[in-house]
Amino acid sequence: MEDARRRVPRTDAVLGDPALAPALARLGRPRVKAAVTAAQAACREGRLAPDEVVAAVLADLPAAPVSMRRVLNATGVVVHTNLGRAPLSAAAVEALALAAGATDVELDLETGLRGRRGAAALAALAAAVPDAGGVHVVNNGAAALALVTCALAAGREVVVSRGELVEIGDGFRIPELMESLGARLREVGTTNRVRREDYERAVGDRTAFVLKVHPSNFRVEGFTSAVPVEGLQGLGVPVVADIGSGLLAPHPRLPDEPDAATTLRAGADLVTASGDKLLGGPQAGLLLGEAGLVQRLRRHPFARALRVDKLTLAALEATLTGPVPPVAAALATRPEELLERARRLAAAIGAPAEAVVSQGHVGGGGAPGVPLPSAAVALPHRLAAPLRHGSPAIVGHVHDGRLLLDLLALPPDDDHTVAHGVRRLLAHDAEGGR
Ligand SMILES: *Cc1c(COP(=O)(O)O)cnc(C)c1O
């Protein structure tokens, strides 16, 4: 006992071990020191050999800086809400790291005076949508609508089609948000049909604006009619269009998905959208439109409560000015390329993996019901859970009794990680079976 106590490694010696350097940098000295003290106690009591102390400290410390796990998105859903919507581009990730320290987000380094917050990100957004007289960025799409409602429609009426009273997900309903901020919704038309005359009859002294909401997660088919933004001109009140997805310009593969430029040109006074759907950037709410209206929103007291942080501004600027973000890259990939990748991946995994054609989707971000031709690697469905439990987690989807690892939303650089993860599981299976 006496002997073991003398052999307990000293705190400084353990803390100086190179193996603990990354943990010290990441977690700080007090946290690591607490783990060292615990391991020394175990050593003193004979539960741990002196040369096991460093390993015990490492085992006691969290392996990653956060408990959020990295996920390889093999679901075939490009903008997956449960996986954090749009993955950021490498440029945006670098921008995040750079902005994490002190930055000139609100300082003009030229003059040394206070500068306009996030001026570069706003300029990039304005440059991307020249039809917008003014632009502003808030926390998310819901915040953009909330600011418009607060600034323009508190105690007044918003005219909206019954077919556009949308619930986005997780119980978030656009009409309830607007009513909670003191606007009264004046519903026009029916679930499936609305005409310009319906809007004309409803607009009056109390109308703050007419709202168009893009049904971004459902489709009404059959006997339907809606009034496009063009058809809502000349009613004497502003037209606000919530386009949802954040497409700034038309996308050739998504012809029915509204975009900011076209919507503004059609006569919308304000457009609201999310930053982390088809735009492929960070969570943000974009407001674009008539300069005077945007200025009113920006100056409204509530705007401060919806303000975005420097990290969002940095990532948004990099998304807008940098190389094509992953969401756009996924949408630009041809199905033949995906099938070729699936064949290579299936070959790298070996039996029973098989390349198959599949069908992907944009997801919660827009283009409901539009199938995106894709390709996948098919595997026995019993692998779904163990792959999901791995690190990184690999999340596919089960179709016709098989697990499909769809390549549409998976960056090609991650193929070898998937191959490795699946091979290891299969090898483990084979050993267990013997
Ligand atoms: C996604 C969406 C919203 C909500 O945007 P968040 O960024 O999730 O707050 C609002 N309107 C439409 C049409 C949407 O598609």
Side-chain angles (χ1 to χ4, degrees):
M1 202 57 188
E2 195 77 355
D3 194 36
R5 240 196 309 273
R6 240 180 284 122
R7 283 167 47 222
V8 173
R10 290 187 28 233
T11 307
D12 284 352
V14 182
L15 285 173
D17 193 296
L20 292 187
L24 276 167
R26 182 153 52 77
L27 300 166
R29 195 177 161 92
R31 175 74 183 82
V32 179
K33 198 173 162 199
V36 171
T37 306
Q40 286 170 320
C43 185
R44 204 167 291 125
E45 288 158 18
R47 286 184 283 122
L48 208 61
D51 60 359
E52 289 169 351
V53 167
V54 170
V57 171
L58 279 173
D60 193 29
L61 295 171
V66 288
S67 59
M68 268 193 224
R69 204 115 56 88
R70 193 162 101 83
V71 172
L72 301 184
N73 177 5
T75 61
V77 178
V78 179
V79 179
H80 199 302
T81 301
N82 303 144
L83 300 180
R85 289 197 181 155
L88 294 180
S89 67
V93 172
E94 189 186 340
L96 283 178
L98 190 145
T103 66
D104 62 347
V105 65
E106 227 174 278
L107 179 71
D108 183 341
L109 291 173
E110 201 63 50
T111 60
L113 301 174
R114 185 189 190 124
R116 178 166 178 198
R117 184 179 171 85
L122 293 169
L125 182 57
V129 189
D131 293 285
V135 298
H136 185 53
V137 179
V138 291
N139 181 56
N140 60 7
L145 274 172
L147 184 55
V148 174
T149 306
C150 251
L152 308 180
R156 305 185 66 196
E157 284 184 1
V158 173
V159 176
V160 61
S161 160
R162 287 200 169 86
E164 297 175 11
L165 299 169
V166 175
E167 174 170 324
I168 299 301
D170 200 22
F172 165 56
R173 293 174 170 168
I174 289 176
E176 289 176 0
L177 168 82
M178 301 182 82
E179 282 168 341
S180 77
L181 293 165
R184 243 164 313 126
L185 289 194
R186 181 79 189 267
E187 301 171 14
V188 296
T190 60
T191 310
N192 55 328
R193 288 175 75 84
V194 65
R195 301 181 193 81
R196 178 177 162 99
E197 298 83 77
D198 297 318
Y199 287 96
E200 278 172 354
R201 266 200 304 276
V203 168
D205 292 344
R206 279 188 292 241
T207 310
F209 56 82
V210 169
L211 177 68
K212 279 286 294 175
V213 181
H214 176 53
S216 57
N217 52 9
F218 71 101
R219 262 201 332 204
V220 181
E221 283 177 49
F223 186 52
T224 65
S225 74
V227 184
V229 169
E230 291 90 324
L232 296 173
Q233 301 308 298
L235 291 171
V237 293
V239 175
V240 176
D242 175 16
I243 62 167
S245 83
L247 272 189
L248 300 183
H251 194 289
R253 269 185 96 174
L254 308 171
D256 294 333
E257 195 62 18
D259 65 274
T262 307
T263 308
L264 287 169
R265 245 176 271 152
D269 300 276
L270 272 178
V271 166
T272 68
S274 299
D276 55 355
K277 295 179 178 173
L278 287 172
L279 179 63
Q283 178 187 303
L286 314 180
L287 286 150
L288 308 104
E290 199 270 310
L293 278 177
V294 174
Q295 181 74 352
R296 262 176 80 186
L297 302 179
R298 228 164 54 75
R299 293 261 166 255
H300 192 275
F302 193 43
R304 175 62 184 237
L306 309 172
R307 187 173 97 155
V308 285
D309 77 340
K310 58 180 178 171
L311 300 180
T312 303
L313 290 165
L316 183 63
E317 183 190 346
T319 301
L320 290 165
T321 59
V324 173
V327 167
L331 290 176
T333 317
R334 290 179 301 114
E336 309 86 74
E337 286 173 55
L338 293 170
L339 188 58
E340 188 46 43
R341 259 177 74 195
R343 290 204 179 103
R344 278 198 304 270
L345 184 53
I349 294 168
E354 189 195 339
V356 296
V357 296
S358 63
Q359 212 168 73
H361 298 279
V362 168
V370 178
L372 299 171
S374 179
V377 170
L379 292 164
H381 73 85
R382 65 186 157 79
L383 296 181
L387 283 172
R388 208 171 57 236
H389 301 155
S391 186
I394 300 171
V395 180
H397 72 107
V398 173
H399 181 77
D400 273 349
R402 293 205 286 182
L403 171 67
L404 297 190
L405 299 182
D406 195 295
L407 300 186
L408 180 66
L410 187 76
D413 285 351
D414 287 329
D415 284 2
H416 62 276
T417 313
V418 170
H420 182 73
V422 177
R423 266 206 316 264
R424 222 181 32 199
L425 263 187
L426 290 172
H428 187 261
D429 257 25
E431 274 168 30
R434 230 180 268 137

